[in-house]
Every structure is written in structure tokens, then in C-alpha cells.
Amino acid sequence: MTPLSFDVGAAEAGMRLDRFLSLHHPDLSRARWQQLIADRLVSLNGAPTKPGAPLKPGDVIAARVPPPVEATPRPEAVDLDILYEDDDYVIVNKPAGMVVHHGAGHDSGTLVNALLHHCGNLSNVGGVMRPGIVHRLDKDTSGVMAATKNDLAHRFLAEQFAAHTIERAYEAIVWGVFSFSTGTVEGLIGRDPRNRLRMTGRTTSGRRAVTHYKVTAATRHFSRVECRLETGRTHQIRVHMAESHHPVVGDPLYGKGRSIPASLLPELREALAAFNRQALHARVLGFTTRAGKTIRVEAEPPVDMQRLWQLIAEQDR
């Protein structure tokens, strides 16, 4: 077990123990800390305690964190929309709602489970939990995604991602009308200290992120945008669009607070209220193989996004 120790400062007086631990050691979730406290692996001033114990300046917290136990993903017969496949790569059109790899609360039905069933073997560079996975899409983002079948292919593709030579284009439906039809959003993106599930561009300690956008269609209230990634940070497009005052429609993390205008047609208002995921789709993926072949795969947005834009366009007829 890994021993950890923390001292409580004056600024943290009154803070709950579980919140303190999740802030000072964010590699573990708050729920995980609560379980460790319940398992008597955390002590406050030498004694077991509860997750909600209020802290005082000078308190000493000791914890023992057991090593993670990784469960090997199992092959599962899950339908895949395969767009391209060879001896090194398999490229799929991931549906919205599918988790890419195992994580908290997701130990089956993932893309990895489906790929293991389809391919048999995947690269091991990413670790036991993420075989074949070089890049990922959020659960509720649909679109083109590549996986690798062997370690050489994995490393070759990963090098292209690191060098920013991968072609990646996304389609998004966002709120509002842009002042300029093309532009670039650039800055740092890092974890939001107030909400560990969110990322933010309002940071001085994040990683450089660059998104190039082009408006492909617009109405009085919405825009359809092509976003091309120069970098690939977590939630990059969602953060950049939201912090440009054009959050992605349906985004549960970055689009809250947007009220649906009463002037919209009833059918469109109902569709917007029912659209319960970010309207974001990875449309294009292009890269070079080890043999020097250029692969470029494109997939149209899913029916739910196409239908939503159709209703938006009908609003202005």
C-alpha cells in the first residue's frame, strides 16, 4: 500500500475530510476516498473517522492507498460500424452513448469489449484496461475513431498524434451566431479546481490547446461548425466553444444555463429539450500508415444530429 500524509492549514478549516482528500490527491475520486475512509484506511489525528468529519487547522491525516486492481476487459459481441480495417488498424464509427474503455461504472459494453471480440488481439501499449486505444472520444460524442492491433502500429500512430500531424475534423451544433465565419481558439486547458469533472481554459497551469473553426451554416439562434483540432485535450472543443460563448447544444457540463427561446417553433423547442447529449460528432480522421499509405475516413453525423439541424433550418424558412 502507498502511505500518504497531509497537514490541514488554516484556509481549510471546516472542510469535509473527503473533499480535502479529493482536492489534495485528485488522482482518486471523492467516492473512492469515501470508500477508503469507510474501510478504515484513513485516519484523522491517529484515529478512524467518517468522510464528513470537519477539519481543523493542525489536523494530521494519514492514508494507506491499496494498488489498483485492473480487471482484464472481456471480448463481447457488440455490434460495430467498421469503416476501415487492415492488419494494423481498425477504424469504427462510434455511436453516442458508448464508452471507449473500462472505468468507474463501466466494465462491459465498451468499445474495447467489442474490439476484442472482433479483432482477437489489440496493441498493449495503452495498458491492460485500454488495449488498442491511442485516442478516445467522450461517451456521448459520436464519430470516427481508430484502434491499433499491434504495438508497432500503436506507437506509429501515437507519434503522429504527438506531432499534431493527424487530420481530425468534428461537426458541432452550437448556440448563437459567430462574429467571424472562421477563426482559431487558442490557450491553456486544465482541470477545473472547483469541479474535477470539468476542464477549463481559465487556468495558468494547463496544456496548450488549439482549435480552428469554420461556420458551415447559421440561423438566427444556432450555428453548425466544423472544428479542426491541432491539439487533442480532454473536452477541447466543448471548452473552446463554451468559453467563446457558443456552447455545444445539449452539452451537460458546459452548456447549462441556456434557456430555449420561446420564439422557436414548438417542435424545435421539444427537440432541444429532449436532446440529452452534446451535439458533437468526429467526422474525419486521417493519418499515415507504417507503409506510407494515407488513410482518410469520414462519417456523416448520426440521425439525431441531422434531424436536429433540419428542425433548426426549418425555423428560418
Side-chain angles (χ1 to χ4, degrees):
M1 291 194 181
T2 302
L4 299 172
S5 181
F6 307 91
D7 296 320
V8 178
E12 294 147 336
M15 186 180 293
R16 285 174 55 109
L17 173 62
D18 55 355
R19 182 167 182 267
F20 175 96
L21 289 169
S22 63
L23 288 174
H24 285 264
H25 194 84
D27 288 348
L28 298 181
S29 68
R30 189 167 176 175
R32 177 61 173 147
W33 277 117
Q34 290 171 346
Q35 185 60 53
L36 292 176
I37 296 168
D39 291 341
R40 301 173 72 86
L41 293 174
V42 176
S43 66
L44 179 61
N45 299 322
T49 186
K50 297 181 179 179
L55 301 178
K56 304 185 299 297
D59 281 347
V60 177
I61 302 164
R64 292 175 296 141
V65 179
V69 178
E70 293 188 340
T72 303
R74 304 179 306 276
E76 294 179 10
V78 179
D79 288 339
L80 288 172
D81 181 7
I82 297 174
L83 305 176
Y84 173 87
E85 186 171 12
D86 61 21
D87 291 340
D88 287 337
Y89 304 100
V90 56
I91 302 177
V92 302
N93 185 13
K94 186 189 84 69
M98 175 179 273
V99 174
V100 170
H101 55 73
H102 283 204
H106 302 287
D107 57 3
S108 66
T110 71
L111 179 60
V112 163
N113 294 118
L115 288 171
L116 285 170
H117 180 270
H118 175 77
C119 300
N121 292 308
L122 296 169
S123 63
N124 294 312
V125 177
V128 174
M129 300 291 281
R130 305 178 184 185
I133 302 304
V134 182
H135 67 123
R136 59 183 293 277
L137 297 175
D138 295 332
K139 173 188 174 184
D140 289 324
T141 297
S142 57
V144 184
M145 186 175 162
T148 53
K149 296 182 177 181
N150 56 72
D151 291 357
L152 285 176
H154 187 119
R155 291 190 178 96
F156 194 80
L157 186 57
E159 287 171 1
Q160 293 177 71
F161 273 100
H164 309 310
T165 57
I166 300 286
E167 180 187 6
R168 283 177 292 173
Y170 290 68
E171 183 169 317
I173 301 173
V174 304
W175 288 89
V177 179
F178 288 78
S179 300
F180 301 96
S181 60
T182 61
T184 297
V185 185
E186 181 174 1
L188 301 178
I189 286 182
R191 189 72 60 180
D192 188 336
R194 296 174 297 179
N195 182 346
R196 303 299 296 177
L197 297 178
R198 289 170 52 100
M199 307 299 288
T200 180
R202 300 181 178 91
T203 180
T204 58
S205 60
R207 300 175 69 189
R208 178 176 175 267
V210 182
T211 303
H212 306 285
Y213 72 84
K214 179 175 70 175
V215 178
T216 58
T219 69
R220 285 173 290 177
H221 298 285
F222 302 94
S223 296
R224 193 171 67 202
V225 185
E226 177 188 87
C227 293
R228 289 186 173 265
L229 296 184
E230 188 173 314
T231 57
R233 309 306 175 208
T234 302
H235 298 175
Q236 179 172 318
I237 292 174
R238 298 165 64 186
V239 171
H240 277 169
M241 290 298 99
E243 295 186 355
S244 298
H245 308 292
H246 299 288
V248 176
V249 168
D251 194 324
L253 274 180
Y254 304 99
K256 290 183 178 180
R258 281 278 176 169
S259 58
I260 300 173
S263 60
L264 298 182
L265 295 172
E267 190 174 3
L268 176 54
R269 292 204 307 271
E270 292 175 6
L272 289 167
F275 203 89
N276 58 358
R277 72 171 184 95
Q278 59 267 14
L280 181 62
H281 174 74
R283 184 165 189 151
V284 176
L285 180 67
F287 60 92
T288 304
T289 69
R290 290 187 293 143
K293 176 183 177 182
T294 298
I295 297 175
R296 187 181 188 276
V297 178
E298 183 169 357
E300 292 292 320
V303 173
D304 63 344
M305 278 185 63
Q306 294 190 41
R307 175 57 177 162
L308 180 62
W309 185 257
Q310 180 184 0
L311 291 172
I312 289 171
E314 289 175 354
Q315 171 74 31
D316 282 351
R317 287 182 181 174

